[in-house]
Structures are given as C-alpha cells and as structure tokens.
Amino acid sequence: MKRFSRILIANRGEVALRILRACKELDIETVVVYSSADKDSNYLRLADQAICIGPGPSLQSYLDIPKIISAAEITDVEAIHPGYGFLAENAHFAEICRSCNIEFIGPSVEAIRSLGDKAKAREMARSVGVPCVPGSDGVVKDENSALEVARHIGYPVIIKAVWGGGGRGMRVAHNNISLVNGFLAARTEAETAFKSPELYIEKYIDKPRHVEIQILADNYGDTVHLGERDCSLQRRHQKLIEESPAPGLPAEVRGAMGEAAKKIARAAQYANAGTVEFLVDRELNFYFIEVNTRIQVEHPVTEMVTGIDLIQEQIRIASGEPLGYGQEDIQFRGAAIECRINAEDPASNFRPCSGTITRFVPPGGIGVRLDSHVTSGYQIPPFYDSMIGKLIVCRQDRGAAIATMRRALDEFQIEGVNTTIPLYKEIFKHFHFLRGNINTGFIEEYFLG
Ligand code: ADP
C-alpha cells in the first residue's frame, strides 16, 4: 500500500494550519503555498517548504490552478489537500491533479461533479428514497416554469443556484411578482458568481433547523456516518455556531438521518469525507438539501465527540487505506460546540473588518480547543473571508459545554478589530438557546430585529 511522504496544502489560514498539524502527526512532509498577502503568517514556518504563488487576490494565487500544480510538481508531492473553499469542490482541479498523477485528497472527480450539481443531487437522493424539500424537478428554465412550480408547491419558495454555495445567491419569494423578479436577479447573480445561470426552486421551510451528517467512506465501499452537527445558528444563510449532538434530536431521527446520508454516499460511489445536509422542520421531518464534497469548517465538533481526526482520515483514505472500522465502532461522547470567530462587526450588519490585530490572547483550560492561525500583530488581508479562527469546546453534556464556552469567550482577548465574540456572549445567555430552541431564523429574530 502506498503511503504519502509529502503533501501540498492548497489553502491558507486556519485550515492550512489544521492540515499541517494532521500531517505532522502522520510524519508526512508538507509543502504549503501562500500569496504575498499571507507571507507573514506564522504557520508557514511549520511547513517543510513554503512557496509563494502570487499576489493577494485569490484568482492570482489560491485559485490559480497552473501555479499550484507547478508548485506541486517542483516539490514532487504525491498528494494535494485542498482544505475548504477555493479549489476544494472544483472538479476541474481534481481532474488536473489526476492527470498529473497527484492524488487529490477528496472524493472522485465524478462524485464532485454529480453532487456539485444540486438539482442532480436532489434527484439522486430521491432515487434512493431519501426525502427532499418539495420543489422543481431539476433545473427551472424560465420565469413561467418558475411560476408553474410555485403554483404546484405553494408560497413561500426559495430560488437557488444549481452550482451555488456559501449561502450566496438564494432568494425567497412570497408571491408571483417577487418570484419573477427574484428569478431574473438570481439568474444574473448565479451567472456571475458560479459561472452558470442554472436555477432550481424549493419550498421555503419556515424556521427549520439545519442538521447535517458527517460521513467517511473508503475506496472499497465501506461507509460510516459520524453523527450530526446542528448548524442552525446562521446569519444570511451562513453558519456561525455549530454543535454536536443536535439538541433534542431523538435517537431514531438521528439514526434515520445517518442511514439516509449513507444511502446517498453509496449511490454517488462516494469516497473520502463528506457532509450530507438536511433541513429539519418542527415536526422533525427531515429533508435532504445538498452534499458538501469536502472537509467543512465545522468538522472539529465531530472530531471532539467521536475522537476521530477527520483530516488524518481523509489522508489515509486518499492513500488507499481501508477505513478499518464499522458503524458499530463509532462511539459518541459528550457535547461539542464551535463558534466561528469572524473579524466582523455584528452591530453593523456583520461588515467585515480588515486591519491589524493588536492583541490576541487565546483562551485555554479544560475542554477548550482553538483552531486559529492568528497571533498578536497579525494583519487581516482584505482579500479573503473574515474568519480568523474557531473556538471549540467539548464537555460531558451541553450544559457543561455552554458553561465552558461562556468562560472561554470571556477569556478571549482580541483587540484592533471588531469580532463576533460580543454577539456570542449574548447568545450563550439567551433563554431559548439554553433550552436548545434554535432554528435558522434565531439570530435574525432575537439579535438583528
Ligand atoms: P449553500 O450551499 O449556499 O450553503 P444550502 O442549500 O446549504 O446553500 O442552504 C444554506 C442555508 O439556507 C440553510 O442552512 C438554510 O438556512 C437556508 N435554506 C436553504 N434551503 C432552504 C429551504 N428550502 N427552506 C428554508 N431555508 C433554506
């Protein structure tokens, strides 16, 4: 069996550091690529080699495929880990890696392609008996077809980009006029953001919970799920706080969702780590929405409750090792919560803040994990997303995890830029949050009203 001896990390920031850590523990050499805007990042020193691939803008660095492949060839790596974002779900990139004989640490080109098309992914889910949100059969070609779908499923509806992601480009419509206007605007947006104007439509579920299942699958057909993450606390359809287990989710619903996720993974002949996302309504019915064919930002909460290092598993699987364990071997312990620490001002509509972090004093103590590449004096480049780290806690139950998170948020000192920490301090005191009464409208309802 081949074992990787050197891996290139095609990403930046906290996830580049996360992958570096996993490689070090596996005794794998690392090559990290960086843009000139990241040249002073501390994690670069931890890599065996660091290669500058261009200026700050992503198109000229972290999204520049020829430069990344050249870096990989010069350094003679056997595999590339794409992290999340950038090229992580780019089938074309995975294909180029394959044609250059470099292992792409992620699923196959075919799986990325078929699941990246969200309309096709819905069809695949339905074909194996997994419930989807009611909506269009495939792509909706024009406004008239959109009106036809809405007539059939009833308002409100949500218009989504077939190749969309990152919570962007979705529009909710409550009547015919807003549907037609929203459809035309969404098409233009999708064309610009995702290079495809294709749209589909779903029933807009009122204040659902977002619950997703982590899966791992090897190249020999063995698939397990690692339980769920509740990612209902969002702003603008983007996650801020995630936890596992999902509060109050009955064991039979969890089990059924896990089995549904595995069915979809098998139907797509999926290998490596992936996440099957669902919405859960008030009656605890669950509906498939999409598959993310990569490691996700919120993967640490699953690591904390299962004790499984997901990045190391991704590397092992990509190198051809079998999983070596089955569903019954996965044990869940305690409760974990993650807060995304974003350099944003929650008081002015989450406006991103770039600038220098003049003081950075991380929290510590029992049950606290911090995944961050930031140190005092760090300059936040204006080119990338606003996440500067993730604070994760894990304790014996949700109540204890919340107490630890409150303490850790209090200890955490970040000066020089605004962050989401003050908002989180309020959330972790909120009556409904403490009782697990959460849904995707929670932050809007109680904190942005
Ligand atoms: P993306 O890939 O852009 O993140 P998703 O399909 O994963 O898009 O949806 C992101 C979020 O948008 C969900 O977590 C949920 O809050 C909201 N959302 C998506 N589809 C629906 C729907 N049919 N009804 C209600 N909310 C939805």
Side-chain angles (χ1 to χ4, degrees), residues 1 14 54 70 119 128 131 147 173-174 185 195 243 250 269 272 297 309 328 373 399 403 438:
M1 183 173 316
E14 77 83 23
S70 304
V128 291
L147 289 168
H174 290 88
K195 310 262 177 314
E243 58 181 303
Q269 297 188 323
N272 217 283
V297 172
D309 183 319
E328 60 290 350
H373 60 296
I438 51 178

Side-chain angles (χ1 to χ4, degrees), residues 136-360:
S136 57
D137 289 329
V139 176
V140 178
K141 61 179 195 310
D142 55 27
E143 313 90 273
N144 286 333
S145 319
L147 289 168
E148 185 59 42
V149 175
R151 214 173 2 255
H152 191 63
I153 60 176
Y155 285 105
V157 300
I158 183 165
I159 310 161
K160 298 166 103 172
V162 167
W163 295 96
R168 289 178 302 154
M170 291 183 283
R171 281 171 181 257
V172 180
H174 290 88
N175 54 50
N176 287 353
I177 294 173
S178 65
L179 177 60
V180 171
N181 291 339
F183 188 86
L184 297 173
R187 189 153 64 186
T188 313
E189 268 173 34
E191 173 85 71
T192 317
F194 311 115
K195 310 262 177 314
S196 157
E198 289 182 332
L199 302 175
Y200 68 109
I201 290 178
E202 283 176 355
K203 176 91 184 163
Y204 186 66
I205 300 181
D206 185 37
K207 297 189 178 161
R209 284 167 71 175
H210 174 118
V211 181
E212 59 188 32
I213 304 286
Q214 175 71 52
I215 55 145
L216 275 180
D218 65 16
N219 293 303
Y220 313 102
D222 274 339
T223 307
V224 295
H225 78 78
L226 303 187
E228 82 283 15
R229 297 183 285 258
D230 188 314
C231 311
S232 299
L233 292 204
Q234 308 180 345
R235 58 109 171 72
R236 294 196 293 262
H237 303 306
Q238 291 170 340
K239 301 159 188 169
L240 289 176
I241 298 176
E242 303 96 351
E243 58 181 303
S244 188
L249 194 75
E252 61 276 17
V253 179
R254 170 175 305 120
M257 291 176 79
E259 288 312 308
K262 285 199 281 188
K263 268 194 209 162
I264 293 170
R266 289 191 188 110
Q269 297 188 323
Y270 199 89
N272 217 283
T275 298
V276 184
E277 297 192 329
F278 297 93
L279 295 180
V280 178
D281 69 14
R282 286 171 215 212
E283 285 75 44
L284 297 176
N285 300 304
F286 62 86
Y287 306 95
F288 168 80
I289 47 172
E290 65 164 340
V291 180
N292 285 149
T293 57
R294 55 168 155 79
I295 194 74
Q296 283 187 295
V297 172
E298 58 272 25
H299 74 274
V301 294
T302 299
E303 295 185 323
M304 300 315 285
V305 296
T306 59
I308 293 175
D309 183 319
L310 285 167
I311 306 282
Q312 290 192 0
E313 292 304 282
Q314 285 194 290
I315 295 171
R316 271 200 331 110
I317 291 168
S319 76
E321 283 187 35
L323 265 187
Y325 47 83
Q327 192 63 53
E328 60 290 350
D329 300 312
I330 314 283
Q331 303 278 331
F332 299 95
R333 248 184 97 178
I337 312 179
E338 172 181 280
C339 287
R340 299 188 187 198
I341 310 297
N342 294 347
E344 293 174 353
D345 186 2
S348 48
N349 205 20
F350 296 94
R351 189 177 44 83
C353 308
S354 52
T356 302
I357 295 179
T358 50
R359 188 176 158 79
F360 186 84

